[in-house]
Amino acid sequence: AFERGTAAKLAALLLERDAPPVLVLDLRNNNGGELQEALRASALFFDDAYFLPPTRAYRAAPFHPPRGGGAEDMTPLCFTANSRGEYTDHDVEEFRTDRLYPRAPAGAAPRPPTKVVLVANRGTASAAEAFASALRDNGVATFVGERTFGKALVQHAFPLPDGGALRLTVAELLSPRQKHLAPATLADLRDPAAARGGLAPDKPLGRACAP
């Protein structure tokens, strides 16, 4: 799951000079975690200190015009829609790389081109789906495996006086290209092979990708 510190660990991995030409990220049975951490991790792939980003032609279009003369990276990572139907865009600039992360030394050679492959299955959900769609929709990665679970919801946990907690759904998650992530249904759970919820892979592998 995307826990606190996941993005910093990924930053260190991307800095390895002997990194292979193909990077395979296994998201199977990743049930999500913190949405903000997943978006921080996805933003690394648009920072040339860690990765050779795709050109603008492969990225999803910005939801609004660039601010400040266009210096910021407005590439959308996802959108959220609240109960009033109000959309909020979350772009690379919002989750730009934390300066405390490991960084390449000054004068280091440019990052070589790397192909990214994401492997997912029906256990891939929530923030992991946000990470996958941020990379796939912006031309960074190819998604293989099974259709994901389909938990396209943003939830907040509120502690209760008795020690319990209330988990409240506050928004729906949309992909960078403003597509709804179809929610999982009871029919999907009864017959995963015929499921229509979640993200569909670019290259289906079916049960061959079972962990």
Side-chain angles (χ1 to χ4, degrees), residues 115-147:
K115 182 177 181 179
V116 179
V117 177
L118 306 175
V119 184
N121 64 4
R122 293 296 295 168
T124 305
S126 193
E129 291 175 296
F131 177 82
S133 64
L135 268 57
R136 199 256 298 270
D137 274 20
N138 285 304
V140 172
T142 300
F143 169 29
V144 303
E146 296 179 305
R147 187 179 283 270

Side-chain angles (χ1 to χ4, degrees), residues 56 58-64 74-76 79 137-138 176-178:
R56 288 280 178 178
Y58 291 97
R59 305 191 198 185
F63 182 68
H64 51 73
M74 310 306 293
T75 300
F79 291 82
D137 274 20
N138 285 304
R177 297 187 183 274
Q178 301 181 56

Side-chain angles (χ1 to χ4, degrees), residues 139-204:
V140 172
T142 300
F143 169 29
V144 303
E146 296 179 305
R147 187 179 283 270
T148 62
F149 181 77
K151 183 179 179 289
L153 301 173
V154 180
Q155 296 179 313
H156 290 172
F158 299 90
L160 299 176
D162 63 358
L166 171 66
R167 187 173 291 274
L168 185 66
T169 298
V170 296
E172 179 189 2
L173 185 70
L174 284 79
S175 78
R177 297 187 183 274
Q178 301 181 56
K179 294 182 179 179
H180 295 268
L181 278 65
T185 65
L186 288 176
D188 290 346
L189 299 178
R190 295 191 186 102
D191 186 7
R196 291 294 177 266
L199 295 171
D202 299 314
K203 298 181 180 180

Side-chain angles (χ1 to χ4, degrees), residues 17-172:
R17 305 311 298 182
D18 58 349
V22 178
L23 176 64
V24 179
L25 298 177
D26 190 350
L27 300 177
R28 291 175 299 174
N29 297 327
N30 185 321
N31 61 6
E34 297 183 13
L35 177 62
Q36 290 81 2
E37 194 69 16
L39 296 179
R40 289 189 196 102
S42 64
L44 291 169
F45 292 88
F46 302 93
D47 185 336
D48 57 13
Y50 300 97
F51 189 81
L52 186 63
T55 63
R56 288 280 178 178
Y58 291 97
R59 305 191 198 185
F63 182 68
H64 51 73
R67 299 182 291 265
E72 300 92 344
D73 190 337
M74 310 306 293
T75 300
L77 298 174
C78 74
F79 291 82
T80 52
N82 63 24
S83 60
R84 296 184 294 276
E86 298 170 338
Y87 282 68
T88 302
D89 59 312
H90 303 280
D91 53 46
V92 170
E93 177 65 17
E94 180 181 349
F95 293 94
R96 64 184 181 275
T97 305
D98 191 319
R99 297 303 173 186
L100 297 178
Y101 288 175
R103 298 189 72 82
R111 304 301 302 165
T114 302
K115 182 177 181 179
V116 179
V117 177
L118 306 175
V119 184
N121 64 4
R122 293 296 295 168
T124 305
S126 193
E129 291 175 296
F131 177 82
S133 64
L135 268 57
R136 199 256 298 270
D137 274 20
N138 285 304
V140 172
T142 300
F143 169 29
V144 303
E146 296 179 305
R147 187 179 283 270
T148 62
F149 181 77
K151 183 179 179 289
L153 301 173
V154 180
Q155 296 179 313
H156 290 172
F158 299 90
L160 299 176
D162 63 358
L166 171 66
R167 187 173 291 274
L168 185 66
T169 298
V170 296
E172 179 189 2

